[in-house]
Amino acid sequence: AIQMTQSPSSLSASVGDRVTITCRASQGIRNDLGWYQQKPGKAPRLLIYGASTLHTGVPSRFSGSGSGTDFTLTISSLQPEDFATYYCLQDSNYVWTFGQGTKVEI
Amino acid sequence: QELLVESGGGVVQPGGSLRLSCAASGFNFGGYDMQWVRQAPGKGPEWVAFIGSEQYYADSVRGRFTISRDKSRKMLYLQMNSLRSDDTAIYYCVKGLRVATMTYFDSWGQGTLVTVSS
């Protein structure tokens, strides 16, 4: 199965900061990658699919890039509501794997 | 408005069984793939099972769990047998979003807690 390595596992940031989270696949996955945001006590929320396409209703300060094995989620200007845990997700032959998560803290 | 409401969680002894249900509304249930995703306390999400034209399972549950659906009733199910302590988690019902060659986890329910303990 394809392994997803996400980094960092946590980071401290301030409102207005630019934040970058990376996800590396153990083998090439084209652009078949999604990014999720999860707040405590809530279900994950789809932010980005196809590595770079913003899902409906997601603010434009979120962006995604990458293809093959290396992917990036960027928050251009961190807002108070963005403090959460972020996960990447890939699918290979009907086996879905999440990254370990990145907790974005103040 | 898409809505997924899970039920059926609870406390069960190791080796026991439980059946989770998910009521879907607000979208064409029969036209979408569906999944179950779980999240153990303090851990990240873990995909459990998929149903489209076929069913697929995570290695950790294959042979013990069965995913099914009733399109006429707009219901998704997860039959869980031979439960183990490491099956303890919140179980989410999830609607699939098919884009090119991948199905993403789109709309999520609020989750139902399954606790396996003696």
Side-chain angles (χ1 to χ4, degrees), chain B:
Chain B
Q1 177 191 358
E2 299 178 352
L3 191 61
L4 297 165
V5 180
E6 303 93 339
S7 60
V11 180
V12 61
Q13 292 187 339
S17 297
L18 213 54
R19 188 198 198 202
L20 305 184
S21 300
C22 171
S25 61
F27 65 99
N28 176 22
F29 179 72
Y32 289 90
D33 301 332
M34 297 293 296
Q35 286 86 220
W36 289 97
V37 176
R38 69 185 180 184
Q39 190 165 24
K43 303 294 185 181
E46 177 191 18
W47 167 72
V48 172
F50 165 98
I51 186 166
S53 56
E54 298 182 338
Q55 296 85 51
Y56 296 92
Y57 299 92
D59 287 345
S60 58
V61 307
R62 188 177 296 112
R64 301 187 298 122
F65 290 12
T66 303
I67 188 172
S68 62
R69 68 196 296 174
D70 183 333
K71 292 182 180 182
S72 64
R73 300 183 63 193
K74 299 183 180 181
M75 294 292 295
L76 180 71
Y77 303 101
L78 185 67
Q79 178 66 44
M80 304 186 295
N81 299 329
S82 302
L83 283 161
R84 313 184 303 220
S85 57
D86 61 358
D87 294 318
T88 293
I90 296 172
Y91 284 73
Y92 294 101
C93 168
V94 184
K95 169 180 165 283
L97 172 66
R98 182 76 180 181
V99 177
T101 56
M102 178 167 170
T103 295
Y104 296 86
F105 304 156
D106 183 11
S107 296
W108 298 60
Q110 85 288 349
T112 187
L113 178 62
V114 172
T115 302
V116 184
S117 174
S118 55

